[in-house]
Amino acid sequence: MEVLTGWWDDYLWGAVIVAKVFAASLLLMVLFGLIGAAAKLSDNRVAQKIANGYTVIFRGTPEILVILLLYFGSAIVLTAIAQVFDPDIRFVDVPPFWAGTIAIALIVGSYATETFRGAFLGVKPGSIEAARALGMSPLQTFIYIRIPEMWRIALPPFGNHMLSLVKDTALISIIGLNETLFVAKQAITVTGKPFTMYIVVGIIYLGFSSLITLSVMGIEKFGNRTTVGAR
Amino acid sequence: MSFDLNLILDSLPKMLAGFGVTLQLLVVSGLLGLILAILLLLMRLSGKFYLDWVAQVYIYIFRGTPILVQIFIIYYGLPQFEAVRDSVFWSILREPTGCAILALTLNTGAYVSEILRGGVLGVDKGLLEAGSALGMSARQKFIYITTPLATRLALPAYSNDVISLLKSTALASTITITDMTGIARTIVADTYAPYEVFISLAIVYMIFTFGIQKLFGVFERYLGRYARREE
């Protein structure tokens, strides 16, 4: 335990970065998932094809490959663009935070696309007919009937997507994000205690996972408070 | 910025040379993971609280931490202890391949056992009652009723897990293993052409994923050959 002295604050800042990546990628993931689901459920053939391509590509490629491609790839594109304006620029560095956040949001967003699509299809036709009978407009039906029914269906798989996001954060350390795994690497070069340092990382991630699992359980209970016995 | 086709033609055979390593990681840890998953499942179904509890804690830990952290703990972490270096397992743990297979096995075992449990819990109670009425013992019911039906129920989710295992094998490249991703990263480090190399590799992985899906599709239809139009 003494070897950890002096490293606690580094781990704490690493954990803060994990939380930041999680928050940013969660927003993007929901956005990508909703756009993807909307495209798949739309009548537009082109939009359907694009959304299908999106889910096939990001569900079939290893996460690490997407992260590396986005990090190195966007650096090349941005350098090329920057050189148009100023030929003296040698290299534009892309912050690993954003390259990684967008990468994992795209990956998990492709899974969320399927979840949201399934959840929207799971809204009972009877509820929608009832809304129409009450004279609700399509927008009102969407806000008051579809969304409240849909998110309850989507919540359990959505909880798993959130767990994937937080665990994929560890992969971003490969492109140099100074989250907990990265902190551990530095601590090991100084202390020479790899097991201890990596176990701390494991415990931090386990803490994040537990927090998410508990929150999802709580929200699920809240969401189903009025439907007890209905299913 | 240009897209160099010759580079793809040049690097694709090099990357495919790592296909054997990727396949080995997938098949060996897939099979060992399945055995581990069945063991964990039996522990959870045993009705003995101490076995059930151990399995639950195991699953909680391995599903709650990133696979990359698990790989690092095993590969970099375990040699911290003299006892590990002196033990009979050292011949396996000294090799990065052995460590990768061990980590992937332990990880996939936790996920698959939950999938199998879902299958077992999904078996219709009425069929088990029918088994009891025919005078079957608990063991007979498990072998002749639960197992075949649970296999069929769990197969779609299991095929998804085999695909995520394939994607996880790419992480072996972080501990110096020259699987397809490892070779690709070396080529990118030499040529600095992430687009050509990583995109062509992503296509290889997608074809691999597609093949796995088709294979499981055939197996699923075979297992479901008596159950068509019955739901």
Side-chain angles (χ1 to χ4, degrees):
Chain A
M1 271 293 136
E2 297 107 67
V3 286
L4 284 165
T5 320
W7 291 104
W8 288 117
D9 49 336
D10 296 86
Y11 275 117
L12 180 68
W13 288 117
V16 169
I17 291 191
V18 173
K20 276 187 185 169
V21 170
F22 175 70
S25 60
L26 180 63
L27 282 177
L28 287 173
M29 179 262 268
V30 172
L31 190 71
F32 295 147
L34 286 177
I35 294 173
K40 281 203 171 185
L41 292 170
S42 77
D43 296 326
N44 189 326
R45 279 276 177 78
V46 181
Q48 283 178 5
K49 283 263 155 60
I50 293 174
N52 274 335
Y54 167 59
T55 48
V56 168
I57 289 171
F58 284 93
R59 288 179 355 143
T61 318
E63 293 86 347
I64 179 182
L65 218 54
V66 178
I67 292 173
L68 290 171
L69 183 65
L70 232 74
Y71 180 61
F72 291 116
S74 58
I76 285 187
V77 172
L78 287 181
T79 308
I81 294 171
Q83 276 169 348
V84 172
F85 297 104
D86 182 1
D88 291 336
I89 292 175
R90 278 262 166 275
F91 190 74
V92 178
D93 214 10
V94 178
F97 180 90
W98 285 110
T101 300
I102 293 170
I104 63 173
L106 279 171
I107 296 160
V108 184
S110 68
Y111 289 89
T113 297
E114 297 297 336
T115 302
F116 290 154
R117 192 184 75 98
F120 274 118
L121 290 177
V123 175
K124 284 185 224 76
S127 309
I128 293 161
E129 283 164 18
R132 202 171 296 153
L134 286 170
M136 281 186 171
S137 70
L139 184 67
Q140 283 177 317
T141 313
F142 188 79
I143 294 172
Y144 295 115
I145 308 292
R146 282 187 202 264
I147 293 278
E149 263 198 52
M150 165 271 179
W151 75 261
R152 291 180 170 88
I153 303 173
L155 192 61
F158 189 74
N160 286 334
H161 300 332
M162 288 202 279
L163 288 177
S164 306
L165 273 186
V166 87
K167 284 185 281 176
D168 284 350
T169 307
L171 300 179
I172 309 178
S173 70
I174 293 171
I175 54 170
L177 180 76
N178 49 349
E179 52 78 72
T180 49
L181 201 57
F182 195 82
V183 171
K185 255 179 216 164
Q186 289 174 311
I188 289 161
T189 49
V190 177
T191 60
K193 294 271 184 250
F195 187 79
T196 323
M197 294 303 172
Y198 283 134
I199 284 288
V200 174
V201 179
I203 292 170
I204 292 172
Y205 274 105
L206 201 58
F208 276 112
S209 311
S210 310
L211 212 62
I212 293 170
T213 311
L214 287 176
S215 323
V216 170
M217 271 163 62
I219 300 170
E220 230 170 293
K221 215 170 167 188
F222 170 78
N224 291 334
R225 72 199 180 283
T226 51
T227 53
V228 177
R231 260 171 242 200
Chain B
M1 199 189 79
S2 60
F3 214 76
D4 190 352
L5 265 178
N6 284 327
L7 183 67
I8 295 178
L9 292 178
D10 197 43
S11 56
L12 207 52
K14 284 186 204 156
M15 288 190 280
L16 286 176
F19 183 79
V21 179
T22 298
L23 191 67
Q24 182 202 7
L25 290 172
L26 176 70
V27 172
V28 176
S29 45
L31 289 177
L32 292 176
L34 187 59
I35 295 170
L36 174 65
I38 293 171
L39 277 175
L40 287 167
L41 172 73
L42 293 176
M43 281 167 81
R44 291 213 61 182
L45 296 175
S46 66
K48 306 238 178 2
F49 75 93
Y50 46 91
L51 290 179
D52 184 18
W53 197 76
V54 168
Q56 277 195 47
V57 169
Y58 175 88
I59 291 167
Y60 171 68
I61 289 174
F62 277 86
R63 298 211 318 169
T65 51
I67 169 85
L68 191 61
V69 175
Q70 293 162 16
I71 291 176
F72 282 1
I73 288 177
I74 290 171
Y75 181 66
Y76 295 115
L78 288 183
Q80 183 180 324
F81 303 107
E82 195 120 0
V84 174
R85 277 174 285 161
D86 293 337
S87 73
V88 283
F89 303 111
W90 185 233
S91 56
I92 299 170
L93 291 172
R94 198 177 47 195
E95 297 292 330
T97 313
C99 289
I101 287 175
L102 180 62
L104 291 170
T105 301
L106 296 177
N107 185 268
T108 193
Y111 282 93
V112 173
S113 87
E114 284 295 276
I115 290 170
L116 298 181
R117 204 172 78 95
V120 168
L121 295 180
V123 173
D124 195 350
K125 293 275 177 301
L127 291 167
L128 293 172
E129 282 165 15
S132 307
L134 286 170
M136 284 177 142
S137 69
R139 187 186 299 261
Q140 282 173 322
K141 276 189 287 182
F142 190 78
I143 294 172
Y144 296 111
I145 299 175
T146 308
T147 305
L149 291 173
T151 310
R152 210 165 69 199
L153 288 174
L155 205 59
Y158 180 66
S159 73
N160 281 337
D161 199 80
V162 172
I163 288 165
S164 39
L165 179 62
L166 168 67
K167 297 200 286 178
S168 300
T169 60
L171 294 177
S173 66
T174 56
I175 52 168
T176 71
I177 293 175
T178 47
D179 70 325
M180 292 197 290
T181 307
I183 295 170
R185 290 174 72 180
T186 329
I187 297 175
V188 170
D190 289 343
T191 60
Y192 208 72
Y195 278 114
E196 289 89 340
V197 177
F198 285 148
I199 289 177
S200 46
L201 181 60
I203 293 170
V204 172
Y205 272 106
M206 267 182 257
I207 294 171
F208 202 167
T209 310
F210 184 76
I212 293 174
Q213 263 168 351
K214 284 279 159 245
L215 208 68
F216 272 100
V218 170
F219 192 43
E220 241 169 77
R221 268 198 301 282
Y222 171 74
L223 284 183
R225 64 197 181 283
Y226 303 121
R228 234 162 276 151
R229 302 246 162 270
E230 228 176 63
E231 296 105 39

